[in-house]
C-alpha cells in the first residue's frame, strides 16, 4: 500500500528527520498511528530513503504470524544474527533459543529485551541503526512488547526505532496521529495522480468519498473515467472494494468468525444503526452483540454511545460485497423487523425494498409515502424514490417517482446523480406535469452548474408545460429564468418574464404564489427604472417572505424575498431572510439551495458594512458550490471575494481569487462583472483612475437592460470617484449616478443616500460650497451602526478635498476620523492613506521612515514614497490631487534636501 507522494504529512516527515538527525547525540523512537491507507508505510519508506549512513533493519507485522511468538522479531533481526556472538554468553544463548522458536519464559523476558538492546548497541558501533516495524500491532504481541521496551531505552545509543500501528499503540513513546488530509492536500494528491487536475467539484466530491485517506484517494483515481474527472459524469461515492485499501480491510475481515461477520453485516447495511438497534437485530438472528468485539479489535468498526462507526466508507462496502446474497437479504429483513418506531418508517421501507426481488406496487407506494414524510434526508428520499420507481409496474407512475428522486438528489447536492435519474426516464411520452418538472429541474441545474445557454430553453419550456397543471411551479420556472437573465447580463428579458407571470396569477392565490409573482414584477419594473411600481411589489415580497410557514416555507421563496429586500435597500430584513434561508436549507439537508442563499446573505452583509462577515459567508458559499458541482454559483462567490478583498486593498487575495475565476465566465456575466469591479477598485487605489472608470463604465449600458446593471449600481460610488479625477469619463459617471440617484431616492435607506451625496460632492466643483455641503450631508446620513467603513471613506475623501483647498486645519479632523475608523476596522491600507493625507496636511501620524522624516515634510515624504514605488509625476499628481507642476517643485526640493540627483538614488535612500 505504498504511497509515494506524501501530501499532508509535512509534520510527520519533519519528526522523522529530527529522529534521524539526532542519532549523533543519542537515539530515540517514534510511533506513527493511523488507520490503514493513512500513509504509515509511505512514511516508513520516507525514513528508509533519508537514513543515509545508517544500517537499516526493517520488518512488518503479519496477521498470519500473530500467534507465533517473536516471529516479527526474528524477521527484523535476521540480517544481524551473526553478531549475536558478541553478546555475553547467557544473553546470546537466550536470544538464539527464542528466535529459533524455543520460546521465552515469562521470568526471562527482561533478560531477552536487554539482549536485543545489547545486540542493537553492538551493531551501532559501526554506524547508526534505524529499526522500523510497520503494522507492529498486526503481528505477534511479544515482538511489539520487546520493541517498545527497547525503544524506551535508546537515549545513549545511536539507534532509532520507528513503529507504525493502526489500532493500539505501544505506550510511553512519542506518537504522531496521522490525521485525514484536508481538501487542499486531497486536491493536490489527486492532481499528482491524474493526467489533468479534476474539476473543483469533482475534487471536493472525491475528498469527501475518501474521508481524507490518501490510499482511498489513490484507489479512487484508478477508477475515475475522463468524463468523471471533468464533472460530466457522477464521481464514485466510495473507494473501490477491490482497491488496495479495500483489500487491506478484506484481509482483516477474512480472519473473523462467521458470527462476527454476520453481526458486522447488520451494522454495515444500516448507516443509521445505533447500538440498541444492532443488539436487537443480532438477537433476532440468533447472535450476540459480543460477537462484534473481534471486529472492533481489528479496527473494522467502532461502537460508540449512539452510533456504529466505520473508519472508511469502503469498509462498509467490503463487508456487504463479501457477504452472499442470501445473507444480505436475511440481514435486511432482520433490520426491517426491529425498526418498529414510526420515526424509522423510511429506513424500514428501504430494508424491505433491498430484500425485494421484483415489482411490488404496495412496497413502492410505502417507499414513496415514507420518502415524502417531513424531515426525511434528501439523499435517503432520493434513494427511496428511485427504488420505488424500480418496483413500480406502471410506466407513468415510475416516471413521476424517478423525477421526484432526481429532484431530491439535486437537493442533496448530487447534480450528476440527478442527471442520471433524468436520463433514465422512459423514451415514451410523459405527462405535461412530469415533463414540466423534469425540464424545471434540468434548467435549475444548468443555471447553477452550466452550461448556461441551455438553461433558458429548459426553464421556459417548464413554465409552458406547467402553466396548465401547476401554476406555482410555473412561476418558479419563470423566477429561475429571471435569475438566469440577471446572471448573464440580459435583464431586458425580465419584461417578458413579468408579463408571463401576470398571466399565471389568480385572485386568492396563496402567499408563496403571490410572493413569486410580486418578486418577478418588482424586479422587472426596477430594472426598467420604474421604481414607483417596482418598489411596492418588492416590499410586498419582503413582507410575504416573513409570513411564510408550513409547506410554503422553502429556501427558494426566502431567497427571492431576500433578493427583493436588497433591491429596495432594506438590508436588515434582507439579511434576516437570507440567513433564515440558509438555516432552513441546512436543517432540511437541501445542500443545493445553500450557495445561492449564502450569496444573498453576503451581499446584504456588504451593504451593512460587515465586510469580514461577508467574506466568511462567501467562502462558505464557495466551498458548498464546489462541493455540489455549482460552477456558475462558485464564480459569483469568487467574484464577491475578489471585490471584498479589493475594497480592503488586499491586492494579493484579490488577484488570487481572480485567478481562480479564470477566463471561463462569459463577458457581462455576473462573475465577469464582479471581477471587473474588483480590478477597478485596485486600479483606483493605485491611482489609475482612467482605467478604473473604463472598467466600471463597461459593466452595463443604462437604459437598455444589457450588461450587469445591478453590479454597476453597486459599483457606482467607485466609478464616480474615478471619474472625479479623470474628466474623460464624467459623462458616463453622471449617467450612472442618475440611475443610482433614482434608485436611492426610491428607498428609505440612509446609507444609499449617503453614498449618493458623496458622489455628488466628488463631481461638484472642487472647493465649492456645494461640494462641502454634499460631503456634510453624506457624513450625516451614514448610519452609525452599519456604515463605519463607508463613513470613513467619505471622511477621507472630504479631508483630502479640504486639504487640496488649502484648509489643512479643517481637513485634519475628518482625516483623523477616517484614520481612527480604518485602524479599528483593521483596514490597514486605507489607514495608511489617511496617514499620508494627515502628513500632507501638516500632521504626523504613525511611524514614517526616521531618516526621511527628519529631512522631509509629510507631503514631501509621501511624494518620495510614491516615486520610490515607481509612480510617475502625473500619477503622483492624480493620487495626491496636486498639479504636476507642484509635484515637480516638491521633487526638486526632495532631491536637494537628500543630496541626490535621480529617482533611483531616491528609491535607494528610502531603503
Amino acid at each position: 500500500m505504498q504511497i509515494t507522494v506524501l501530501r499532508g504529512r509535512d509534520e510527520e516527515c519533519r519528526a522523522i528527520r529530527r529522529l534521524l538527525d539526532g542519532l549523533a547525540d543519542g537515539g530515540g523512537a517514534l510511533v506513527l498511528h493511523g488507520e490503514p491507507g493513512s500513509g504509515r508505510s509511505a512514511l516508513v519508506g520516507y525514513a528508509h530513503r533519508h537514513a543515509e549512513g545508517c544500517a537499516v533493519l526493517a520488518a512488518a507485522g503479519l496477521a498470519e504470524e500473530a500467534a507465533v511468538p517473536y516471529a516479527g522479531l526474528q524477521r527484523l533481526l535476521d540480517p544481524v544474527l551473526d553478531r549475536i556472538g558478541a553478546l555475553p554468553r547467557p544473553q546470546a544463548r537466550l536470544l538464539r533459543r527464542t528466535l529459533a522458536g524455543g520460546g521465552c519464559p515469562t521470568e526471562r523476558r527482561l533478560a531477552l529485551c536487554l539482549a536485543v538492546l545489547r545486540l542493537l548497541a553492538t551493531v551501532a558501533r559501526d554506524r547508526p541503526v534505524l529499526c522500523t516495524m510497520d503494522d507492529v500491532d498486526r503481528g505477534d504481541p511479544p515482538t511489539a512488547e520487546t520493541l517498545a521496551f527497547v525503544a524506551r531505552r535508546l537515549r545513549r545509543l545511536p539507534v532509532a526505532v520507528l513503529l507504525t500501528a493502526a489500532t493500539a499503540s505501544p505506550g510511553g513513546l512519542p506518537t504522531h496521529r496521522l490525521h485525514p488530509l484536508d481538501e487542499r492536500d486531497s486536491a493536490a494528491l489527486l492532481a499528482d495522480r491524474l493526467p489533468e487536475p479534476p474539476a473543483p467539484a469533482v475534487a471536493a466530491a472525491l475528498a469527501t468519498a475518501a474521508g481524507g485517506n490518501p490510499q482511498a484517494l489513490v484507489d479512487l483515481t484508478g477508477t475515475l473515467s475522463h468524463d468523471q474527472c471533468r464533472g460530466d459524469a457522477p464521481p464514485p461515492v466510495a473507494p473501490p472494494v477491490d482497491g488496495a485499501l479495500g483489500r487491506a480491510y478484506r484481509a482483516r475481515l477474512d480472519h473473523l468468525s462467521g458470527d462476527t461477520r454476520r453481526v458486522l453485516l447488520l451494522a454495515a447495511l444500516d448507516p443509521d444503526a445505533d447500538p440498541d438497534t444492532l443488539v436487537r437485530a443480532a438477537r433476532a438472528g440468533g447472535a450476540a452483540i459480543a460477537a462484534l468485539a473481534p471486529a472492533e479489535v481489528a479496527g473494522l468498526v467502532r461502537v460508540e454511545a449512539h452510533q456504529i462507526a466505520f473508519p472508511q466508507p469502503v469498509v462498509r462496502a467490503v463487508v456487504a460485497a463479501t457477504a452472499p446474497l442470501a445473507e444480505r437479504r436475511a440481514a435486511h429483513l432482520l433490520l426491517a423487523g426491529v425498526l418498529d418506531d414510526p420515526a424509522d418508517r423510511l429506513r424500514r421501507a428501504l430494508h424491505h425494498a433491498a430484500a425485494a426481488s421484483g415489482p411490488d406496487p404496495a412496497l413502492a407506494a410505502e417507499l414513496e409515502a415514507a420518502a415524502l414524510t417531513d424531515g426525511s434526508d434528501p439523499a435517503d428520499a432520493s434513494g427511496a424514490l428511485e427504488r420505488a420507481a424500480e418496483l413500480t409496474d406502471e410506466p407513468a407512475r415510475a416516471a413521476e417517482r424517478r423525477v421526484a428522486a432526481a429532484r431530491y438528489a439535486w437537493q442533496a447536492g448530487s447534480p450528476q446523480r440527478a442527471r442520471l435519474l433524468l436520463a433514465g426516464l422512459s423514451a415514451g411520452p410523459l405527462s405535461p406535469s412530469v415533463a414540466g418538472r423534469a425540464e424545471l429541474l434540468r434548467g435549475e441545474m444548468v443555471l447553477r452548474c452550466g452550461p448556461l445557454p441551455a438553461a433558458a430553453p429548459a426553464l421556459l419550456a417548464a413554465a409552458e408545460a406547467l402553466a396548465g397543471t401547476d401554476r406555482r411551479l410555473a412561476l418558479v420556472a419563470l423566477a429561475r429564468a429571471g435569475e438566469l437573465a440577471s446572471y448573464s447580463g440580459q435583464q431586458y428579458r425580465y419584461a417578458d418574464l413579468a408579463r408571463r407571470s401576470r398571466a399565471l396569477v389568480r385572485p386568492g392565490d396563496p402567499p408563496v404564489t403571490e410572493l413569486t409573482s410580486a418578486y418577478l414584477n418588482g424586479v422587472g419594473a426596477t430594472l426598467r427604472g420604474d421604481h414607483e411600481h417596482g418598489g411596492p411589489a418588492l416590499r410586498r415580497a419582503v413582507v410575504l417572505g416573513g409570513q411564510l410557514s408550513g409547506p410554503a416555507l422553502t429556501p427558494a421563496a426566502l431567497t427571492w424575498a431576500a433578493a427583493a429586500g436588497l433591491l429596495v435597500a432594506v438590508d436588515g430584513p434582507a439579511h434576516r431572510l437570507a440567513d433564515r434561508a440558509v438555516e432552513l436549507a441546512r436543517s432540511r439537508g437541501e445542500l443545493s439551495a445553500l450557495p445561492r442563499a449564502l450569496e444573498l446573505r453576503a451581499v446584504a452583509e456588504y451593504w451593512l458594512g460587515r465586510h469580514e462577515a461577508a467574506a466568511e459567508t462567501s467562502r462558505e458559499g464557495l466551498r458548498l458550490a464546489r462541493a455540489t458541482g455549482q460552477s456558475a454559483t462558485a464564480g459569483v462567490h469568487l467574484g464577491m471575494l475578489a471585490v471584498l478583498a479589493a475594497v480592503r486593498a488586499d491586492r494579493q487575495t484579490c488577484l488570487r481569487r481572480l485567478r481562480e475565476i479564470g477566463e471561463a465566465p462569459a463577458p457581462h456575466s455576473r462573475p465577469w462583472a464582479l471581477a471587473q469591479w474588483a480590478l477597478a477598485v485596485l486600479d483606483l487605489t493605485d491611482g489609475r483612475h482612467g482605467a478604473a472608470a473604463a472598467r466600471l463604465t463597461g459593466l452595463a449600458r443604462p437604459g437598455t437592460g444589457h450588461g450587469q446593471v445591478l453590479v454597476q449600481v453597486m459599483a457606482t460610488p467607485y466609478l464616480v470617484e474615478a471619474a472625479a479625477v479623470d474628466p474623460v469619463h464624467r459623462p458616463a459617471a453622471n449617467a450612472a449616478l442618475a440611475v443610482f440617484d433614482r434608485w436611492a431616492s426610491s428607498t428609505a435607506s440612509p446609507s444609499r443616500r449617503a453614498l449618493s451625496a458623496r458622489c455628488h460632492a466628488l463631481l461638484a466643483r472642487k472647493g465649492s460650497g456645494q461640494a462641502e455641503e454634499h460631503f456634510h450631508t453624506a457624513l450625516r446620513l451614514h448610519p452609525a451602526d452599519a456604515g463605519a467603513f463607508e463613513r470613513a471613506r467619505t471622511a477621507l475623501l472630504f479631508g483630502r478635498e479640504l486639504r487640496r483647498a488649502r484648509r489643512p486645519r479643517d481637513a485634519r479632523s475628518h482625516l483623523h476620523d477616517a484614520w481612527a475608523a480604518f485602524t479599528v476596522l483593521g483596514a490597514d491600507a486605507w489607514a495608511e492613506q489617511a496617514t499620508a493625507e494627515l502628513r500632507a496636511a501638516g500632521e504626523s501620524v504613525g511611524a514614517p521612515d526616521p531618516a526621511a522624516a527628519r529631512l522631509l515634510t509629510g507631503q514631501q515624504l509621501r511624494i518620495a514614497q510614491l516615486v520610490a514605488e515607481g509612480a510617475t509625476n502625473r500619477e503622483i499628481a492624480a493620487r495626491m490631487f496636486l498639479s504636476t507642476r507642484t509635484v515637480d517643485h516638491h521633487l526638486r526640493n526632495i532631491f536637494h534636501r537628500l543630496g541626490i540627483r535621480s529617482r533611483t538614488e531616491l528609491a535607494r535612500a528610502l531603503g
Side-chain angles (χ1 to χ4, degrees):
M1 210 185 302
Q2 289 292 328
I3 303 169
T4 57
V5 180
L6 300 181
R7 296 289 185 180
R9 298 292 178 246
D10 293 346
E11 183 180 347
E12 289 76 17
C13 289
R14 285 193 293 269
I16 290 172
R17 289 198 300 271
R18 286 195 299 269
L19 179 67
L20 296 172
D21 293 344
L23 285 175
D25 301 319
L30 179 65
V31 180
L32 301 176
H33 187 264
E35 64 184 21
S38 59
R40 292 175 289 120
S41 300
L43 287 163
V44 170
Y46 178 89
H48 291 169
R49 292 192 298 274
H50 287 77
E52 298 178 1
C54 292
V56 178
L57 303 177
L62 300 177
E64 295 79 4
E65 299 180 356
V68 182
Y70 302 106
L73 188 64
Q74 187 276 330
R75 282 184 284 105
L76 178 71
L77 298 180
D78 184 68
V80 294
L81 290 181
D82 60 333
R83 305 292 295 272
I84 291 182
L87 272 59
R89 186 172 300 172
Q91 285 187 336
R93 187 165 52 248
L94 175 62
L95 186 54
R96 282 197 183 98
R97 186 183 69 187
T98 301
L99 298 182
C104 178
T106 302
E107 66 275 10
R108 298 285 290 160
R109 285 183 180 175
L110 176 59
L112 176 66
C113 292
L114 292 173
V116 173
L117 183 63
R118 176 71 66 90
L119 177 62
L120 293 177
T122 301
V123 175
R125 291 173 185 166
D126 301 331
R127 53 179 174 163
V129 175
L130 170 64
C131 291
T132 66
M133 177 67 75
D134 200 7
D135 291 325
V136 68
D137 55 324
R138 297 209 69 202
D140 62 281
T143 291
E145 294 166 3
T146 302
L147 291 176
F149 178 94
V150 169
R152 298 185 195 103
R153 290 162 173 80
L154 298 174
R155 188 178 305 172
R156 296 184 178 84
L157 297 176
V159 177
V161 172
L162 177 63
L163 307 175
T164 76
T167 53
S169 298
L173 296 174
T175 301
H176 272 256
R177 174 76 185 181
L178 303 187
H179 296 287
L181 301 186
D182 60 23
E183 191 170 318
R184 178 177 297 181
D185 286 324
S186 295
L189 178 53
L190 290 169
D192 292 337
R193 292 283 177 161
L194 293 169
E196 60 183 40
V202 175
L206 293 176
T208 300
N213 185 289
Q215 185 63 55
L217 284 168
V218 172
D219 291 347
L220 284 165
T221 62
T223 67
L224 207 62
S225 69
H226 185 62
D227 286 345
Q228 287 176 319
C229 189
R230 292 184 307 177
D232 296 334
V237 296
V241 295
D242 58 349
L245 185 61
R247 293 195 302 272
Y249 278 116
R250 181 163 184 168
R252 294 170 181 246
L253 185 64
D254 288 342
H255 287 87
L256 300 179
S257 68
D259 282 350
T260 298
R261 295 180 67 165
R262 279 189 288 275
V263 177
L264 189 61
L265 178 63
L266 290 169
L269 293 179
D270 192 338
D272 298 318
D274 57 82
D276 180 61
T277 300
L278 189 61
V279 167
R280 290 190 293 138
R283 186 183 301 128
I289 192 65
L292 196 62
E296 293 186 79
V297 173
L300 291 168
V301 69
R302 294 192 310 274
V303 180
E304 299 174 354
H306 303 290
Q307 66 173 350
I308 309 296
F310 285 82
Q312 277 288 318
V314 71
V315 182
R316 193 184 296 275
V318 166
V319 172
T322 55
L325 175 61
E327 286 192 14
R328 291 201 303 272
R329 293 188 67 225
H332 279 297
L333 291 173
L334 284 173
L335 288 163
V338 299
L339 291 170
D340 48 11
D341 191 298
D344 295 325
R345 182 182 182 185
L346 179 56
R347 288 169 62 196
R348 181 171 59 252
L350 283 168
H351 284 300
H352 278 302
S357 57
D360 188 334
L363 181 55
E366 172 61 15
L367 274 171
E368 181 180 38
L372 299 179
T373 302
D374 287 345
S376 294
D377 178 76
D380 291 341
S382 176
L385 287 163
E386 181 183 12
R387 183 63 176 140
E390 294 169 351
L391 296 172
T392 303
D393 54 7
E394 186 182 339
R397 288 289 289 135
E400 185 178 347
R401 285 165 174 163
R402 196 170 186 86
V403 171
R407 165 60 65 180
Y408 277 108
W410 165 240
Q411 289 180 356
S414 301
Q416 299 95 337
R417 184 168 180 276
R419 292 190 195 101
L420 279 182
L421 287 165
L422 292 178
L425 290 172
S426 60
L430 301 174
S431 69
S433 175
V434 173
R437 289 167 184 265
E439 285 301 304
L440 173 58
L441 179 55
R442 285 192 185 97
E444 185 176 334
M445 289 193 293
V446 173
L447 167 64
R448 303 291 184 228
C449 308
L452 290 183
L459 292 169
L460 294 178
E464 189 73 26
L466 292 166
T469 59
D470 193 326
R471 290 182 297 107
R472 181 187 67 81
L473 280 183
L475 282 168
V476 168
L478 293 176
R480 295 298 188 203
E483 291 180 27
L484 173 64
S486 180
Y487 179 94
S488 56
Q490 299 173 333
Q491 283 92 338
Y492 62 88
R493 294 185 180 276
Y494 256 105
D496 177 60
L497 298 173
R499 178 187 59 79
R500 291 181 183 229
S501 75
R502 287 192 291 272
L504 295 170
V505 177
R506 303 286 186 274
D509 275 339
V512 68
T513 303
E514 184 186 353
L515 185 158
T516 311
S517 175
Y519 166 74
L520 276 164
N521 284 281
V523 174
T526 298
L527 291 173
R528 294 195 309 271
D530 183 4
H531 301 293
E532 184 178 353
H533 292 92
L538 292 171
R539 292 186 186 92
R540 178 62 179 162
V542 173
V543 171
L544 289 169
Q547 296 174 349
L548 293 176
S549 62
L553 181 62
T554 64
L558 289 171
T559 55
W560 291 323
L566 291 171
L567 286 174
V568 290
V570 286
D571 304 321
H575 183 268
R576 287 191 291 274
L577 286 164
D579 192 54
R580 192 179 182 195
V582 169
E583 295 307 315
L584 185 65
R586 280 203 185 109
S587 67
R588 294 182 178 180
E590 295 187 26
L591 300 183
S592 62
L594 280 168
R596 172 63 174 164
L598 289 164
E599 174 194 338
L600 293 170
R601 192 174 81 179
V603 174
E605 287 163 345
Y606 169 83
W607 280 118
L608 289 167
R610 305 173 191 170
H611 292 176
E612 285 299 325
E616 181 58 35
T617 294
S618 287
R619 283 191 290 270
E620 183 183 2
L622 174 61
R623 179 182 61 79
L624 287 166
R626 285 173 168 169
T628 55
Q630 299 186 41
S631 56
T633 313
V636 176
H637 281 291
L638 283 169
M640 194 66 190
L641 285 167
V643 168
L644 290 165
V647 167
R648 304 279 291 189
D650 183 353
R651 170 183 294 276
Q652 184 177 359
T653 300
C654 177
L655 294 178
R656 175 167 60 85
R657 293 303 187 183
L658 293 177
R659 284 193 295 271
E660 290 184 68
I661 294 176
E663 299 178 0
H668 299 296
S669 66
R670 182 66 58 81
W672 173 86
L674 291 170
Q676 293 300 306
W677 180 10
L679 288 170
V681 175
L682 292 184
D683 286 335
L684 188 61
T685 54
D686 290 342
R688 296 187 293 272
H689 299 86
R695 289 186 191 278
L696 297 175
T697 300
L699 293 182
R701 285 178 283 167
T704 68
H706 290 272
Q708 288 294 327
V709 177
L710 298 179
V711 175
Q712 190 179 64
V713 168
M714 291 180 72
T716 292
Y718 292 93
L719 171 57
V720 169
E721 190 174 338
V725 179
D726 190 329
V728 172
H729 295 281
R730 283 213 173 198
N734 281 317
L737 181 55
V739 173
F740 187 92
D741 281 343
R742 286 196 296 273
W743 173 59
S745 62
S746 73
T747 73
S749 168
S751 64
R752 307 307 193 276
R753 296 185 180 190
L755 291 173
S756 174
R758 185 174 84 193
C759 290
H760 282 283
L762 290 170
L763 293 178
R765 185 170 58 84
K766 303 303 178 186
S768 66
Q770 185 183 31
E772 186 169 350
E773 182 181 352
H774 283 307
F775 271 123
H776 281 300
T777 299
L779 289 172
R780 186 181 69 253
L781 287 171
H782 277 301
D785 58 339
F789 181 80
E790 290 299 342
R791 180 183 176 84
R793 291 266 292 121
T794 299
L796 173 60
L797 291 167
F798 190 17
R800 182 179 291 166
E801 289 295 313
L802 290 170
R803 196 265 303 163
R804 280 187 61 209
R806 302 179 186 276
R807 296 168 59 185
R809 180 177 299 175
D810 294 333
R812 285 196 287 268
S813 64
H814 296 294
L815 294 173
H816 264 298
D817 289 345
W819 175 82
F822 289 138
T823 301
V824 169
L825 292 170
D828 296 338
W830 291 107
E832 289 174 8
Q833 285 200 26
T835 298
E837 287 296 329
L838 277 167
R839 289 175 185 157
E843 183 167 334
S844 180
V845 176
D849 180 78
R854 286 195 297 269
L855 299 173
L856 303 178
T857 66
Q859 191 172 55
Q860 287 174 339
L861 179 59
R862 180 59 179 154
I863 291 172
Q865 289 170 334
L866 291 172
V867 169
E869 293 169 7
T872 65
N873 286 10
R874 185 178 298 276
E875 291 169 340
I876 295 169
R879 291 184 67 171
M880 297 190 65
F881 298 95
L882 302 170
S883 67
T884 54
R885 179 180 296 179
T886 301
V887 173
D888 289 337
H889 171 75
H890 281 304
L891 202 51
R892 285 194 297 271
N893 288 337
I894 291 168
F895 283 6
H896 175 73
R897 290 191 178 197
L898 298 182
I900 56 179
R901 298 182 179 182
S902 69
R903 289 172 176 261
T904 302
E905 291 181 25
L906 176 57
R908 191 178 299 119
L910 292 180

